[in-house]
Amino acid sequence: MTDSTDTLRRGRPGYDQRGILEVAVAAFNEHGYDATSIGMLAARLGLSKSAIYHHVASKEELLALALDEALDGLEGVLRSPEATTGSAADRLEAVLRGAVLVLAERLPYVTLLLRVRGNTDVERAALQRRRAFDRAVARLVAEAQAEGAVRADAEAAVVARLLFGMINSLTEWYAPSGPTTPEHLADTIVALALTR
Amino acid sequence: MTDSTDTLRRGRPGYDQRGILEVAVAAFNEHGYDATSIGMLAARLGLSKSAIYHHVASKEELLALALDEALDGLEGVLRSPEATTGSAADRLEAVLRGAVLVLAERLPYVTLLLRVRGNTDVERAALQRRRAFDRAVARLVAEAQAEGAVRADAEAAVVARLLFGMINSLTEWYAPSGPTTPEHLADTIVALALTR
């Protein structure tokens, strides 16, 4: 066991990789990924840069971990039992609800994901996963339209984008400490999307 | 008449204030307002900095003009005859349709508006106008809910935010050269929002 692995296991007082990731994501969202340096993160954390490098190999690894957090959550929704059994309407409802909950629980991570423009390999890989997610939702919208369960008769990909426009707007205005629960938001979005 | 006024009237070859504004807004959206300098704009335009200053007093004036372009368009929708007469459902439909058309026609300006975070007086004034617009839409949603014309029975301000979440998402994915017309997008959004 190397010294650095040993340090990683025991952890620095106050911060493990997860704690560093949370501070990094807040900084990426506030200043932009490009404008954030490991030095800035070290100052925010009250750690030395080398202490950070005990936990992550690079700033890009922090970005990859953060985008995984958002994408794993959204892809998990698509694979959930509720989203893979029953009518298309039931499955679409499960995806819309699940996505709202993921956004509410992982708000800074999804906020970061939505800002990704594909400037690096890590960002391009994330965009590719996001597009695959969007295509899966569009297929589900098409099936639900065929059942007569979606109100709008526009192209499924357009309806899917509009429905996720509602959901993604939560990153702009949803306050976890506010009076509106994620479950209530999900009810509202489902009421707008589906004929039931 | 001063020399600079004279220059302004005659205009520099190739660019009037409007042309400079278009290039500035594209740069603000691409690099961020803070990271964009008059020097960068001069390089993009192939003008000297002093040539730009014949047309606008400052970078902040360009920001103010750009945000006015977006806000005047949206506020104009609220004041239109269609949005001020008839049932609440008719008026809300007119506002949703009108906002989609403003976004499609003034896409870079609205994109810039949606990124404003209130770091300067100009930005704070724009945010104040945006919030007044949001409140007017929420009042209209409440009236339409009272008529039974809005599908979701959640708090009007929440429904208004979700409906504009759909509309504002156009800044992320709407392509003016694409196959989907703004009118068709407006039809789809109205179909999701209203019971008709």
Side-chain angles (χ1 to χ4, degrees):
Chain A
M1 188 182 288
T2 66
D3 177 58
S4 74
T5 312
D6 191 43
T7 308
L8 184 65
R9 292 227 174 153
R10 283 185 286 107
R12 294 268 152 177
Y15 289 107
D16 54 8
Q17 190 190 64
R18 180 79 198 180
I20 292 171
L21 183 60
E22 278 176 22
V23 171
V25 169
F28 294 163
N29 281 332
E30 193 178 332
H31 305 291
Y33 174 70
D34 291 336
T36 304
S37 66
I38 291 284
M40 285 166 64
L41 296 180
R44 280 198 179 204
L45 288 157
L47 295 177
S48 65
K49 289 208 271 184
S50 68
I52 293 181
Y53 287 124
H54 279 294
H55 293 289
V56 289
S58 63
K59 186 175 85 158
E60 197 161 35
E61 190 189 346
L62 284 168
L63 180 65
L65 288 167
L67 297 175
D68 278 347
E69 186 74 18
L71 288 161
D72 291 350
L74 292 169
E75 291 166 357
V77 168
L78 284 183
R79 286 191 307 265
S80 69
E82 297 75 20
T84 47
T85 50
S87 68
D90 286 343
R91 285 178 279 135
L92 180 58
E93 173 170 347
V95 168
L96 297 175
R97 283 189 188 284
V100 170
L101 298 185
V102 166
L103 252 80
E105 280 162 16
R106 308 187 188 194
L107 201 57
Y109 299 95
V110 181
T111 301
L112 186 66
L113 175 65
L114 295 178
R115 294 185 185 170
V116 156
R117 289 292 171 269
N119 298 325
T120 63
D121 284 346
V122 165
E123 294 191 28
R124 279 185 286 274
L127 275 186
Q128 209 161 31
R129 286 172 70 186
R130 198 182 152 195
R131 278 194 285 262
F133 178 85
D134 290 347
R135 281 194 301 272
V137 175
R139 283 192 297 271
L140 205 43
V141 167
E143 283 187 65
Q145 285 177 314
E147 284 178 4
V150 163
R151 294 208 155 83
D153 61 358
E155 198 196 339
V158 169
V159 175
R161 281 201 191 104
L162 290 172
L163 295 179
F164 269 81
M166 282 200 274
I167 294 173
N168 293 338
S169 78
L170 300 186
T171 61
E172 300 289 327
W173 58 267
Y174 171 68
S177 59
T180 310
T181 65
E183 289 74 16
H184 182 59
L185 289 169
D187 288 343
T188 308
I189 289 164
V190 168
L192 292 167
L194 294 171
T195 56
R196 44 171 69 155
Chain B
M1 187 183 286
T2 66
D3 176 58
S4 75
T5 311
D6 190 43
T7 308
L8 184 65
R9 293 231 174 150
R10 284 186 284 105
R12 293 269 153 176
Y15 289 107
D16 53 9
Q17 191 189 63
R18 181 79 198 180
I20 292 171
L21 184 60
E22 279 176 20
V23 170
V25 169
F28 295 163
N29 282 331
E30 192 178 332
H31 304 291
Y33 174 71
D34 291 336
T36 305
S37 66
I38 291 284
M40 285 166 64
L41 297 181
R44 280 197 179 204
L45 288 156
L47 294 177
S48 66
K49 289 208 271 183
S50 68
I52 293 182
Y53 287 124
H54 279 296
H55 293 289
V56 289
S58 62
K59 187 174 84 159
E60 197 162 34
E61 190 189 347
L62 284 167
L63 179 64
L65 289 167
L67 296 175
D68 278 348
E69 186 74 17
L71 287 161
D72 290 351
L74 292 169
E75 292 166 356
V77 169
L78 283 183
R79 286 191 307 266
S80 68
E82 298 75 19
T84 48
T85 50
S87 66
D90 286 345
R91 284 177 281 137
L92 180 57
E93 174 170 348
V95 168
L96 298 175
R97 283 190 187 284
V100 170
L101 298 185
V102 166
L103 253 79
E105 280 163 14
R106 307 186 188 194
L107 201 57
Y109 299 94
V110 180
T111 301
L112 186 66
L113 175 66
L114 295 179
R115 293 183 185 172
V116 156
R117 289 292 170 269
N119 299 325
T120 63
D121 284 346
V122 164
E123 294 191 29
R124 279 185 287 274
L127 274 187
Q128 210 162 32
R129 286 171 70 185
R130 196 181 153 197
R131 279 193 286 261
F133 178 85
D134 290 346
R135 283 193 301 272
V137 175
R139 282 194 298 271
L140 205 43
V141 167
E143 283 187 65
Q145 285 177 313
E147 285 178 2
V150 163
R151 292 190 206 284
D153 61 359
E155 198 196 340
V158 169
V159 176
R161 282 202 191 103
L162 290 172
L163 295 179
F164 269 81
M166 282 200 274
I167 294 174
N168 293 338
S169 78
L170 301 186
T171 61
E172 300 289 328
W173 58 268
Y174 171 67
S177 58
T180 310
T181 64
E183 290 74 16
H184 181 60
L185 288 169
D187 288 344
T188 307
I189 289 164
V190 167
L192 292 167
L194 294 172
T195 55
R196 45 173 67 157

PDB file of all heavy atoms in Angstrom, chain B residues 108-121:
ATOM      1  N   PRO B 108     -31.012  35.258 -29.604  1.00  0.00           N
ATOM      2  CA  PRO B 108     -29.797  35.572 -28.830  1.00  0.00           C
ATOM      3  C   PRO B 108     -30.061  36.574 -27.708  1.00  0.00           C
ATOM      4  O   PRO B 108     -29.413  36.507 -26.658  1.00  0.00           O
ATOM      5  CB  PRO B 108     -28.832  36.149 -29.858  1.00  0.00           C
ATOM      6  CG  PRO B 108     -29.549  36.215 -31.152  1.00  0.00           C
ATOM      7  CD  PRO B 108     -30.903  35.606 -31.032  1.00  0.00           C
ATOM      8  N   TYR B 109     -31.017  37.479 -27.916  1.00  0.00           N
ATOM      9  CA  TYR B 109     -31.312  38.489 -26.901  1.00  0.00           C
ATOM     10  C   TYR B 109     -31.981  37.846 -25.689  1.00  0.00           C
ATOM     11  O   TYR B 109     -31.649  38.152 -24.549  1.00  0.00           O
ATOM     12  CB  TYR B 109     -32.192  39.592 -27.498  1.00  0.00           C
ATOM     13  CG  TYR B 109     -31.522  40.301 -28.650  1.00  0.00           C
ATOM     14  CD1 TYR B 109     -31.734  39.899 -29.965  1.00  0.00           C
ATOM     15  CD2 TYR B 109     -30.620  41.332 -28.418  1.00  0.00           C
ATOM     16  CE1 TYR B 109     -31.087  40.517 -31.030  1.00  0.00           C
ATOM     17  CE2 TYR B 109     -29.961  41.967 -29.470  1.00  0.00           C
ATOM     18  CZ  TYR B 109     -30.198  41.545 -30.772  1.00  0.00           C
ATOM     19  OH  TYR B 109     -29.537  42.154 -31.796  1.00  0.00           O
ATOM     20  N   VAL B 110     -32.939  36.940 -25.938  1.00  0.00           N
ATOM     21  CA  VAL B 110     -33.604  36.269 -24.822  1.00  0.00           C
ATOM     22  C   VAL B 110     -32.639  35.296 -24.129  1.00  0.00           C
ATOM     23  O   VAL B 110     -32.651  35.160 -22.909  1.00  0.00           O
ATOM     24  CB  VAL B 110     -34.891  35.556 -25.283  1.00  0.00           C
ATOM     25  CG1 VAL B 110     -35.568  34.869 -24.105  1.00  0.00           C
ATOM     26  CG2 VAL B 110     -35.857  36.538 -25.926  1.00  0.00           C
ATOM     27  N   THR B 111     -31.790  34.645 -24.915  1.00  0.00           N
ATOM     28  CA  THR B 111     -30.766  33.775 -24.320  1.00  0.00           C
ATOM     29  C   THR B 111     -29.926  34.564 -23.319  1.00  0.00           C
ATOM     30  O   THR B 111     -29.684  34.119 -22.188  1.00  0.00           O
ATOM     31  CB  THR B 111     -29.858  33.194 -25.431  1.00  0.00           C
ATOM     32  OG1 THR B 111     -30.672  32.452 -26.343  1.00  0.00           O
ATOM     33  CG2 THR B 111     -28.784  32.283 -24.853  1.00  0.00           C
ATOM     34  N   LEU B 112     -29.499  35.756 -23.733  1.00  0.00           N
ATOM     35  CA  LEU B 112     -28.708  36.612 -22.834  1.00  0.00           C
ATOM     36  C   LEU B 112     -29.523  36.985 -21.592  1.00  0.00           C
ATOM     37  O   LEU B 112     -29.026  36.899 -20.464  1.00  0.00           O
ATOM     38  CB  LEU B 112     -28.277  37.869 -23.593  1.00  0.00           C
ATOM     39  CG  LEU B 112     -27.328  38.815 -22.852  1.00  0.00           C
ATOM     40  CD1 LEU B 112     -25.977  38.160 -22.608  1.00  0.00           C
ATOM     41  CD2 LEU B 112     -27.144  40.119 -23.641  1.00  0.00           C
ATOM     42  N   LEU B 113     -30.779  37.366 -21.796  1.00  0.00           N
ATOM     43  CA  LEU B 113     -31.635  37.745 -20.661  1.00  0.00           C
ATOM     44  C   LEU B 113     -31.729  36.610 -19.640  1.00  0.00           C
ATOM     45  O   LEU B 113     -31.657  36.848 -18.424  1.00  0.00           O
ATOM     46  CB  LEU B 113     -33.044  38.097 -21.166  1.00  0.00           C
ATOM     47  CG  LEU B 113     -34.090  38.389 -20.081  1.00  0.00           C
ATOM     48  CD1 LEU B 113     -33.742  39.655 -19.308  1.00  0.00           C
ATOM     49  CD2 LEU B 113     -35.488  38.505 -20.692  1.00  0.00           C
ATOM     50  N   LEU B 114     -31.868  35.383 -20.130  1.00  0.00           N
ATOM     51  CA  LEU B 114     -32.066  34.247 -19.219  1.00  0.00           C
ATOM     52  C   LEU B 114     -30.802  33.928 -18.423  1.00  0.00           C
ATOM     53  O   LEU B 114     -30.865  33.226 -17.423  1.00  0.00           O
ATOM     54  CB  LEU B 114     -32.529  33.010 -20.000  1.00  0.00           C
ATOM     55  CG  LEU B 114     -33.895  33.141 -20.658  1.00  0.00           C
ATOM     56  CD1 LEU B 114     -34.242  31.874 -21.433  1.00  0.00           C
ATOM     57  CD2 LEU B 114     -34.987  33.442 -19.632  1.00  0.00           C
ATOM     58  N   ARG B 115     -29.660  34.464 -18.854  1.00  0.00           N
ATOM     59  CA  ARG B 115     -28.406  34.204 -18.133  1.00  0.00           C
ATOM     60  C   ARG B 115     -28.070  35.282 -17.125  1.00  0.00           C
ATOM     61  O   ARG B 115     -27.103  35.152 -16.367  1.00  0.00           O
ATOM     62  CB  ARG B 115     -27.261  34.082 -19.134  1.00  0.00           C
ATOM     63  CG  ARG B 115     -27.433  32.854 -19.989  1.00  0.00           C
ATOM     64  CD  ARG B 115     -26.275  32.683 -20.930  1.00  0.00           C
ATOM     65  NE  ARG B 115     -26.520  31.564 -21.827  1.00  0.00           N
ATOM     66  CZ  ARG B 115     -25.751  31.274 -22.855  1.00  0.00           C
ATOM     67  NH1 ARG B 115     -24.687  31.999 -23.109  1.00  0.00           N
ATOM     68  NH2 ARG B 115     -26.043  30.249 -23.618  1.00  0.00           N
ATOM     69  N   VAL B 116     -28.842  36.370 -17.132  1.00  0.00           N
ATOM     70  CA  VAL B 116     -28.550  37.502 -16.262  1.00  0.00           C
ATOM     71  C   VAL B 116     -28.726  37.106 -14.803  1.00  0.00           C
ATOM     72  O   VAL B 116     -29.721  36.482 -14.444  1.00  0.00           O
ATOM     73  CB  VAL B 116     -29.480  38.680 -16.634  1.00  0.00           C
ATOM     74  CG1 VAL B 116     -29.651  39.637 -15.473  1.00  0.00           C
ATOM     75  CG2 VAL B 116     -28.947  39.402 -17.863  1.00  0.00           C
ATOM     76  N   ARG B 117     -27.743  37.436 -13.974  1.00  0.00           N
ATOM     77  CA  ARG B 117     -27.787  37.036 -12.573  1.00  0.00           C
ATOM     78  C   ARG B 117     -27.824  38.222 -11.602  1.00  0.00           C
ATOM     79  O   ARG B 117     -27.827  38.039 -10.394  1.00  0.00           O
ATOM     80  CB  ARG B 117     -26.584  36.141 -12.236  1.00  0.00           C
ATOM     81  CG  ARG B 117     -26.640  34.747 -12.856  1.00  0.00           C
ATOM     82  CD  ARG B 117     -27.752  33.921 -12.255  1.00  0.00           C
ATOM     83  NE  ARG B 117     -27.983  32.672 -12.988  1.00  0.00           N
ATOM     84  CZ  ARG B 117     -28.841  32.543 -13.983  1.00  0.00           C
ATOM     85  NH1 ARG B 117     -29.566  33.558 -14.408  1.00  0.00           N
ATOM     86  NH2 ARG B 117     -29.023  31.385 -14.577  1.00  0.00           N
ATOM     87  N   GLY B 118     -27.812  39.449 -12.141  1.00  0.00           N
ATOM     88  CA  GLY B 118     -27.958  40.605 -11.261  1.00  0.00           C
ATOM     89  C   GLY B 118     -26.651  41.127 -10.685  1.00  0.00           C
ATOM     90  O   GLY B 118     -26.612  41.580  -9.551  1.00  0.00           O
ATOM     91  N   ASN B 119     -25.567  41.067 -11.473  1.00  0.00           N
ATOM     92  CA  ASN B 119     -24.269  41.529 -10.964  1.00  0.00           C
ATOM     93  C   ASN B 119     -24.060  43.034 -11.104  1.00  0.00           C
ATOM     94  O   ASN B 119     -23.149  43.581 -10.503  1.00  0.00           O
ATOM     95  CB  ASN B 119     -23.136  40.797 -11.696  1.00  0.00           C
ATOM     96  CG  ASN B 119     -23.198  39.298 -11.466  1.00  0.00           C
ATOM     97  OD1 ASN B 119     -23.572  38.844 -10.392  1.00  0.00           O
ATOM     98  ND2 ASN B 119     -22.861  38.526 -12.482  1.00  0.00           N
ATOM     99  N   THR B 120     -24.854  43.698 -11.941  1.00  0.00           N
ATOM    100  CA  THR B 120     -24.690  45.138 -12.164  1.00  0.00           C
ATOM    101  C   THR B 120     -26.067  45.794 -12.106  1.00  0.00           C
ATOM    102  O   THR B 120     -27.093  45.117 -12.117  1.00  0.00           O
ATOM    103  CB  THR B 120     -24.099  45.416 -13.568  1.00  0.00           C
ATOM    104  OG1 THR B 120     -25.036  44.940 -14.548  1.00  0.00           O
ATOM    105  CG2 THR B 120     -22.765  44.713 -13.765  1.00  0.00           C
ATOM    106  N   ASP B 121     -26.078  47.145 -12.075  1.00  0.00           N
ATOM    107  CA  ASP B 121     -27.355  47.870 -12.055  1.00  0.00           C
ATOM    108  C   ASP B 121     -28.200  47.524 -13.276  1.00  0.00           C
ATOM    109  O   ASP B 121     -29.416  47.330 -13.172  1.00  0.00           O
ATOM    110  CB  ASP B 121     -27.101  49.387 -12.014  1.00  0.00           C
ATOM    111  CG  ASP B 121     -26.665  49.833 -10.630  1.00  0.00           C
ATOM    112  OD1 ASP B 121     -26.822  49.049  -9.666  1.00  0.00           O
ATOM    113  OD2 ASP B 121     -26.151  50.965 -10.509  1.00  0.00           O
TER     114      ASP B 121
END
